Structure formats: structure tokens, C-alpha cells
Amino acid sequence: MRKFVRPTITVAISLLLAFFSATLTYSAPIPLRGKFSSAAMFLQITPTPQQNDVSEIGSTDGIVILGGVIAFIIVLPILLRRKSWTQD
């Protein structure tokens, strides 16, 4: 019985977080009243032209390296203490 407590708590917390995030992101459709026989079109004119994309190829290299460093910082202590956890 005791070996099922942690997985049950983990699954319960995961489901709770999933339902909570689903309720925060749900947007109810707007109820339409009356009959609409024609569609309306709205045009928004921007006063200034948009700038061209100036991103360079390979500009995400720094992000990938930082993600690898963060993963290494998290995994390294786990690997170092794994032997002491299994001895208990």
C-alpha cells in the first residue's frame, strides 16, 4: 500500500494542475443575439510600416547552450547522490 502513495499523489497533483490551467485558458464563446444576414469587415490601417525581420540564422544557439547548462546543473547533483539514495 505504501508504494502506491507517492505515485498517487503525483498523479493527483498533475491532474489538479492540468484542470486548473484548462480553466484559466478557457474562453466561452460570445452568445449571438439576433439574426445576422451579412458579415461585417473591419479594416485597421497602421500608421507606420512594419520593420523587416532582422533575425540571423543560428541566433538561437545561445538559448540552446543555456538550456544545456541548466539541464546539466539539475542532472549533475542527481547523478552524484544517486548511489547514496540506493544504499538507504
Side-chain angles (χ1 to χ4, degrees), residues 51-63:
Q51 296 178 352
N52 292 338
D53 189 14
V54 292
S55 63
E56 297 177 9
I57 297 175
S59 63
T60 58
D61 291 343
I63 297 171

Side-chain angles (χ1 to χ4, degrees), residues 11-21:
V11 169
I13 290 174
S14 300
L15 288 173
L16 182 69
L17 287 173
F19 289 136
F20 184 70
S21 67

Side-chain angles (χ1 to χ4, degrees), residues 24-84:
L24 288 178
T25 58
Y26 176 73
S27 60
I30 299 172
L32 297 176
R33 293 186 181 129
K35 296 181 180 179
F36 294 99
S37 60
S38 63
M41 186 172 95
F42 298 99
L43 179 63
Q44 180 180 2
I45 299 173
T46 57
T48 57
Q50 295 180 355
Q51 296 178 352
N52 292 338
D53 189 14
V54 292
S55 63
E56 297 177 9
I57 297 175
S59 63
T60 58
D61 291 343
I63 297 171
V64 172
I65 292 171
L66 185 61
V69 169
I70 291 172
F72 183 72
I73 289 171
I74 292 172
V75 170
L76 183 66
I78 293 172
L79 293 176
L80 292 176
R81 294 186 182 225
R82 185 180 63 168
K83 290 182 181 180
S84 66

